[in-house]
Each structure stands twice: as C-alpha cells, then as structure tokens.
Amino acid sequence: MLSGRCLCNAVTFTVEAVDNDYHVCHCGMCRRWSGGPVMATDARGVVFAGNESLSRYDSSEWAQRGFCKCCGSNLFYYLKPADRYLMSVGAFDEADRFRMVGEIFVDHQPPGYQFAGNLSRETEAEVLAKFA
C-alpha cells in the first residue's frame, strides 16, 4: 500500500499496487495539461480522500484527467473503458522508488530537453498501433 497527495493536502490517495516503472508522455494534451511532459505509472486499487476537492476532466471519450480543485496538482490520467489509473509519479509520498523506463509520443517532444538513458522511445503511430 502506497500513499500520495496533492500539493495542498486537500486530496490524498492510497493504492494497493503500483508499477515501479513509469513512462513519460510528450503528447500535446499532456504537455498543455501539465506544462511539460507527464510522468505516470500504472496503479491498482486507487482510493481517494478529499473527494470534494478532486476534479475530473473528460479530456476525451476514453479518458479523464484528475486534479485538485484547490492547488491544481495533476494527480492522474484515467482510462475509462479499462478502469485503469495512471498516477502522477510526483504525487506519491515515496516518489524516489520509481524508475523511468520509456517515453511515448516522442515525435511530439518539443526541442530544448532530452532524457538520458537507454529508454524505450515510441512515436504516436507506434503507441496507437499497440492499442488498436
């Protein structure tokens, strides 16, 4: 069981299980939402407290983005049909346990930064083909 929270502590959460590996998304929607790339990991058994401060935005037919109404912290990307949460790595209390393993939508990455390391790097077409 791991825990996490938003910046102002209005929304907290626990997860029963979480993947220690995470991916970075460079798609335009994620960058507009967060001001940069989104770093998220798969989590199961997610339970939120402070639901009155939790907002869910339907960013597409298949996904929601969750954030705190008070401080604006990005908390999750939720895949509706799969009932699957991708939690923001930085929202966890023990964020140092996670390891970056890949990047997606690399063909949308703006110039000015590059992550180092031997990571998997997939374009938009490669990501969409996996989920088709």
Side-chain angles (χ1 to χ4, degrees):
M1 185 83 80
L2 288 178
S3 61
R5 59 190 172 83
C6 67
L7 184 61
C8 71
N9 292 316
V11 179
T12 61
F13 63 87
T14 58
V15 299
E16 288 179 13
V18 66
D19 191 344
N20 287 325
D21 295 340
Y22 70 91
H23 285 81
V24 176
C25 183
H26 299 285
C27 81
M29 223 187 280
C30 280
R31 287 186 294 111
R32 186 167 305 279
W33 179 50
S34 69
V38 168
M39 300 176 184
T41 190
D42 194 30
R44 292 154 307 285
V46 180
V47 176
F48 294 99
N51 285 314
E52 64 280 356
S53 297
L54 180 62
S55 186
R56 293 172 179 265
Y57 172 68
D58 288 317
S59 59
S60 67
E61 291 180 22
W62 64 87
Q64 291 178 330
R65 294 169 188 269
F67 59 94
C68 175
K69 292 179 192 176
C70 301
C71 67
S73 294
N74 299 324
L75 299 170
F76 62 83
Y77 181 79
Y78 176 70
L79 294 163
K80 293 188 270 188
D83 189 25
R84 179 178 167 203
Y85 281 95
L86 299 172
M87 301 299 294
S88 174
V89 171
F92 282 94
D93 294 328
E94 297 177 32
D96 58 347
R97 72 179 286 136
F98 299 104
R99 169 180 79 114
M100 184 189 317
V101 296
E103 300 176 71
I104 59 173
F105 289 81
V106 294
D107 48 331
H108 294 268
Q109 180 179 342
Y113 67 89
Q114 185 91 30
F115 291 106
N118 187 19
L119 307 170
S120 71
R121 291 181 170 90
E122 298 175 290
T123 65
E124 176 182 14
E126 291 168 330
V127 172
L128 296 179
K130 278 198 317 192
F131 294 105

